Amino acid sequence: MSSLKEICAGLPLDPLPPNRGRDPSIPHALVRTPNFTPAEERLALRNALRYFPPNLHATLATEFAQELRQYGHIYMYRFCPTLRMRAYPIDQYPCRTRQAASIMLMIMNNLDPAVAQFPQELVTYGGNGQVFSNWAQFWLVFHYLSTMTEEQTLVMYSGHPLGLFPSLPSSPRCVITNGMVIPNYSSREEYEKMFAMGITMYGQMTAGSYCYIGPQGIVHGTMLTVLNAGRRYLGSGDLRGCVFVTSGLGGMSGAQAKAAVIAGCVGVIAEVDEAPLKKRHEQGWLMEITSDLSHCIQRVREARRSKMALSLGYHGNIVDLWECLYQEYKKTGELLVDLGSDQTSLHNPFSGGYYPVQLTFRQANQLMNTDPERFKTLVHESLRRQVAAINKLSDAGMFFWDYGNAFLLEAQRAGAKVEKKGGGATEFKYPSYVQHIMGDIFSLGFGPFRWVCTSGDPADLAETDAIATAVLEEISSTVTERVRQQYSDNIRWICEAGKHKMVVGSQARILYSDQRGRVSIALAINQAIAKGRVSAPVVISRDHHDVSGTDSPFRETSNVYDGSAFCADMAVQNFVGDAFRGATWVALHNGGGVGWGEVMNGGFGLVLDGSEDAGQRAKLMLNWDVSNGVARRCWSGNANAYETIQRTMEDQRQLRVTMPNPVLEDQILDRALQG
């Protein structure tokens, strides 16, 4: 087994490691179909070989060509390390700076088999959310990080380490871009070819920015979504006896079962792939599994009647489940579902993100490669059936929302009845969860703030939980009632997080907080490190799915109605602003939860080491990281954001934001345009 020191020594070339190929004991990414011309295939192979000296080309070219033809991409399985991938304690990494060691820790956590969806293909979640494009890049990155000083920055081009470049101690230690493709060429078809050529990469959100912390990262957001859906649609935050039906238990969607139970309701989640079902069940995140629809309906009735919190995994297609629920309603008059959504990976609908109901799991995996056009037709038919059942249940009283996974967008493209009469470009028959539930929370400045204890010690995580709880409790007594509700939800979460065994991989935590809370928690943790109450540095970050990090017209910015939902200035400014205000690393991606070409998102990581400098960086950067998004949402006309940025300007005299002047009388517009 290799060691961390060996991994940092650079590509192992003399001798070459044995080619073990794919590990049959773990899940693997689906075969890709780039549809290369002979010239493109030749170019892809040439591109892969440039990582290696010419004397190895004859040996490697044959196996790389085989990988390309067999899997649709050159992963370089020969160079997959034998060392167990996990977040080792920070002092075990052979680095010259703590910042570099922190980045190594976060990368290895993203590739931990307990965390990653397809670890040998370097996919963290979402079916195609890559950390790197191939294993040669992994080895080079670790070598660069191990030698990096505080006057160098590692530059990453879509998985490829361009190299170490001179910079300032105040500069980021790593700058990452993924998928920066000229807009006219940012299509799915072009992406498949460019990824197979090894020249670009889909970083999703926190995969390509090295900040994923396992399904916990979305459990909390899902819990908040379900709670606030209950408040909005059902008139109560008490969800006992309420039934929430959805689909997907893979990467990001794997959190839904746990979140439903924490929210107190009955969560029924359909999943066609048995592997993630078993994984979530073994982790304790899924209470029961059944492949029998009759038994599923029986358990829903029992749990509903007794008002017990239950997470039930249905091993089967979500379309069958929706149609069965409608048939039960039609037969008995009993509506067994109160809330509904979907978290299949419809940003990637024809390459394993969605499985049509007409085929078994195995048949679908075969057909998507042997006859992709036929497969696409079946996906569209299946989406139309799914929407038809949802529409009928909605007419009966169920409340459905889009979970930002491009479900309604792809359903519309399939010809399903999801149009909203008189709606704008980002509006459908059903709202996205941002439009109705989480958008106002973002506009208050709340979003998914995270931290990772680099010691790997659960005691450090418990201490930071206590610090965050104390900070939020102190602040909550000084805020408005609307904001206090969000603080209350998050205090409840952080107090119970340990009980629910959220940690998968690194010793990490997430909570939703606004600007004041994030800054206060970061400074309090930094002070605890300085005093020795926390034994090692802490990395703070966030999901890109936040108030400021992402421009996504069908998700994060779907409630921006001034026509700018398709503009990406906010995400780019977020990335640039975080870089010069003190982030340890920054990332900017094309793509994310709703698909390639549909979104731009920026992320960061910042190391708290107990120093005064770290505290200043955190204060300056976190204030910008939130205010940037609140100011943009304010300018678009959001009332919550208007109030929030006004209060922030009162607290921060150096902050001056351009405020919108509303048109108070629509008749003025009418008269002018008629005239």
Side-chain angles (χ1 to χ4, degrees), residues 110-422:
N110 268 25
L111 294 171
D112 182 340
V115 174
Q117 187 179 14
F118 306 126
Q120 274 203 301
E121 288 75 45
L122 301 120
V123 172
T124 301
Y125 65 87
N128 59 354
Q130 307 281 149
V131 184
F132 302 113
S133 178
N134 60 57
W135 284 104
Q137 294 171 349
F138 171 91
W139 287 89
L140 288 173
V141 165
F142 269 61
H143 178 62
Y144 281 134
L145 289 173
S146 70
T147 63
M148 174 192 287
T149 71
E150 291 188 358
E151 293 184 336
Q152 290 175 303
T153 293
L154 176 61
V155 177
M156 298 294 301
Y157 274 22
S158 292
H160 170 67
L162 194 67
L164 289 175
F165 292 81
S167 61
L168 298 170
S170 59
S171 304
R173 297 281 70 84
C174 185
V175 175
I176 306 159
T177 53
N178 286 308
M180 294 295 108
V181 174
I182 303 301
N184 279 355
Y185 302 89
S186 189
S187 66
R188 283 178 182 158
E189 294 74 21
E190 291 290 342
Y191 163 72
E192 288 296 339
K193 286 195 174 187
M194 287 188 282
F195 177 66
M197 283 184 189
I199 57 174
T200 197
M201 190 182 84
Y202 195 88
Q204 268 276 0
M205 289 185 155
T206 51
S209 61
Y210 318 149
C211 291
Y212 190 59
I213 61 169
Q216 177 189 178
I218 198 173
V219 169
H220 184 35
T222 306
M223 183 204 76
L224 289 178
T225 301
V226 174
L227 276 178
N228 284 292
R231 289 169 182 148
R232 178 173 185 121
Y233 300 131
L234 307 177
S236 173
D238 182 356
L239 298 182
R240 290 174 296 175
C242 295
V243 178
F244 171 49
V245 173
T246 181
S247 59
L249 282 168
M252 298 297 280
S253 60
Q256 296 185 103
K258 175 67 80 172
V261 170
I262 297 173
C265 66
V266 180
V268 186
I269 306 95
E271 172 59 62
V272 294
D273 186 354
E274 191 175 20
L277 269 168
K278 287 184 175 179
K279 184 176 182 179
R280 300 305 173 207
H281 190 253
E282 289 166 1
Q283 287 175 337
W285 288 43
L286 185 63
M287 294 164 67
E288 298 179 17
I289 296 174
T290 183
S291 57
D292 184 328
L293 276 173
S294 297
H295 180 69
C296 183
I297 296 298
Q298 178 188 337
R299 290 296 291 134
V300 167
R301 279 200 169 98
E302 291 169 353
R304 203 163 184 247
R305 193 179 306 118
S306 62
K307 295 190 174 183
M308 69 176 287
L310 172 68
S311 56
L312 175 61
Y314 168 60
H315 183 205
N317 198 289
I318 183 61
V319 181
D320 286 328
L321 178 57
W322 282 125
E323 290 179 342
C324 179
L325 287 165
Y326 174 65
Q327 290 304 319
E328 283 295 314
Y329 170 73
K330 192 175 177 182
K331 182 172 62 178
T332 67
E334 184 181 12
L335 183 63
L336 293 174
V337 52
D338 302 284
L339 302 171
S341 192
D342 185 281
Q343 269 203 36
T344 46
S345 296
L346 271 156
H347 68 279
N348 185 31
F350 311 121
S351 300
Y354 182 88
Y355 284 81
V357 67
Q358 306 93 318
L359 303 173
T360 66
F361 182 62
R362 179 173 292 183
Q363 288 171 338
N365 285 332
Q366 291 173 343
L367 189 65
M368 71 179 69
N369 295 305
T370 58
D371 191 349
E373 284 305 310
R374 173 63 179 158
F375 183 78
K376 184 175 181 179
T377 298
L378 293 178
V379 166
H380 283 171
E381 288 177 4
S382 183
L383 281 168
R384 290 196 293 271
R385 276 179 58 180
Q386 183 171 345
V387 168
I390 289 168
N391 285 347
K392 291 171 184 175
L393 289 165
S394 177
D395 290 342
M398 176 190 74
F399 294 93
F400 184 88
W401 69 87
D402 182 284
Y403 222 132
N405 59 333
F407 172 70
L408 292 179
L409 181 63
E410 287 302 324
Q412 181 187 56
R413 289 168 176 166
K417 295 182 178 179
V418 294
E419 71 281 354
K420 178 181 179 180
K421 291 181 180 178

Side-chain angles (χ1 to χ4, degrees), residues 7 43 144 158 177 278 285 402 427 429 442 458 470 477 489 497 532 537 565 567 586-587 597 599 615 629 636 659:
I7 280 179
L43 182 57
Y144 281 134
S158 292
T177 53
K278 287 184 175 179
W285 288 43
D402 182 284
E427 295 178 285
K429 178 182 178 72
F442 286 162
S477 63
D489 288 345
C567 300
V586 289
V599 51
S636 77
M659 303 296 281

